[in-house]
Amino acid sequence: MAYQQIIAEVKDQIFYITINREQKLNALNKEVLTELADAIAFASKSEEVRGVLITGAGEKAFVAGADISEFQNYSLAEGKELARSGHQNVFDAIENCPKPVVAAINGFALGGGLELAMACHIRVASDNAKLGLPEVTLGLIPGYGGTQRLTQLVGKGRAIEMITTADMITAEKAYRTGLVNEVVPQVELIAKAEEILNKIKTRAPLAIASAIKAVNASLKENINGFEVEIEEFANCFQTEDFKEGVTAFLEKRKAIFKGR
């Protein structure tokens, strides 16, 4: 797929997205966000994609933040539009993607980079990774969902501490607090992310999409997550994957799911 700021390709049903601004530590700018939005929209709809792996180019950074020079002179209205469009087109789109999205955090994940990782469903970090939300050092707060997702992942106290001190934490501390799922040596990072996605690929795709939707509902205001779970559970009964899963179980063989 032809992009200027990211590299995107499908291999063995995994959609690999690499933010390709290594000289800028893969900082997010308008072009990166536009291309990410397009790539995630493709992944959500494509039948050839069963999972998404997002990482950064090089060994120093996943994403070291946003490109501050782009918005240093923004007005109140422009700031609101920057955050709103980022939420809707990229970060919320990743969170609500029906395919599992794994962030492979290779190095620094700061500001918008950590927010990008937190929007993903699963996070794997290299053991040299550093994570943080330094926005208050610029007179800002996280604007791409960081205040909400960090609180959901690590709790109110730790979230307020990380945001208000602007301190970076190690990958190991991120693991202990629940911010990342796994920590591995950097040379094993992509392989570990692939291992997780390859296991998920053997499960029923429509059931996975329903599970993601139901889990996300537990965190949304004015939505009864239990009711969403009931609806999605019921929807599974009308799929061919359900019939195949039950038949394979009874026949004591491995199920072959087709996502129908």
Side-chain angles (χ1 to χ4, degrees):
M1 302 179 72
Y3 293 113
Q4 300 301 312
Q5 304 293 324
I6 66 175
I7 300 170
E9 59 179 338
V10 181
K11 292 188 297 186
D12 297 326
Q13 298 180 305
I14 296 175
F15 188 34
Y16 293 80
I17 300 174
T18 303
I19 299 162
N20 191 32
R21 302 185 74 212
E22 187 175 355
Q23 298 304 313
K24 297 289 186 179
L25 297 180
N26 304 317
L28 300 177
N29 60 13
K30 289 181 182 177
E31 289 78 12
V32 172
L33 291 173
T34 297
E35 292 183 4
L36 278 173
D38 185 80
I40 293 301
F42 164 79
S44 296
K45 298 175 182 177
S46 173
E47 293 185 0
E48 64 178 321
V49 174
R50 296 282 292 275
V52 182
L53 193 161
I54 299 179
T55 194
E59 298 182 351
K60 291 184 178 180
F62 173 70
V63 171
D67 196 330
I68 298 165
S69 63
E70 286 193 338
F71 55 78
Q72 60 180 329
N73 297 314
Y74 269 23
S75 66
L76 183 152
E78 290 171 321
K80 183 176 288 187
E81 178 55 29
L82 175 72
R84 191 177 303 280
S85 62
H87 274 265
Q88 294 175 345
N89 299 329
V90 182
F91 297 83
D92 289 352
I94 291 171
E95 181 175 78
N96 295 316
C97 180
K99 317 293 174 64
V101 184
V102 176
I105 304 171
N106 52 315
F108 291 107
L110 304 176
L114 180 53
E115 291 179 293
L116 177 63
M118 290 191 294
C120 297
H121 302 125
I122 298 169
R123 285 155 295 284
V124 181
S126 59
D127 55 11
N128 67 326
K130 296 289 192 300
L131 304 88
L133 294 172
E135 284 86 349
V136 296
T137 67
L138 302 172
L140 293 170
I141 68 169
Y144 288 141
T147 62
Q148 306 303 296
R149 293 190 177 99
L150 184 62
T151 303
Q152 292 163 2
L153 289 165
V154 305
K156 179 180 176 181
R158 287 194 177 99
I160 289 179
E161 180 183 6
M162 277 188 67
I163 293 168
T164 58
T165 65
D167 286 345
M168 291 186 293
I169 64 172
T170 64
E172 183 58 36
K173 184 171 183 179
Y175 175 74
R176 293 199 309 268
T177 59
L179 183 51
V180 302
N181 299 68
E182 302 278 354
V183 177
V184 296
Q186 189 163 46
V187 294
E188 300 174 15
L189 179 65
I190 299 302
K192 185 62 180 179
E194 290 172 334
E195 177 187 326
I196 293 169
L197 285 169
N198 283 328
K199 180 176 289 187
I200 294 172
K201 276 166 46 181
T202 67
R203 314 313 189 196
L206 296 180
I208 288 168
S210 287
I212 291 171
K213 183 176 180 180
V215 171
N216 284 344
S218 72
L219 302 170
K220 298 185 184 300
E221 289 187 20
N222 303 318
I223 293 180
N224 186 322
F226 293 101
E227 286 299 323
V228 174
E229 180 184 285
I230 290 167
E231 289 297 323
E232 292 303 315
F233 176 74
N235 287 339
C236 291
F237 283 88
Q238 61 187 352
T239 66
E240 292 183 21
D241 278 352
F242 167 70
K243 297 173 184 176
E244 166 63 10
V246 172
T247 301
F249 175 80
L250 294 174
E251 293 178 354
K252 295 182 172 57
R253 62 173 174 81
K254 185 177 179 179
I256 301 174
F257 298 112
K258 298 180 179 179
R260 294 197 293 266

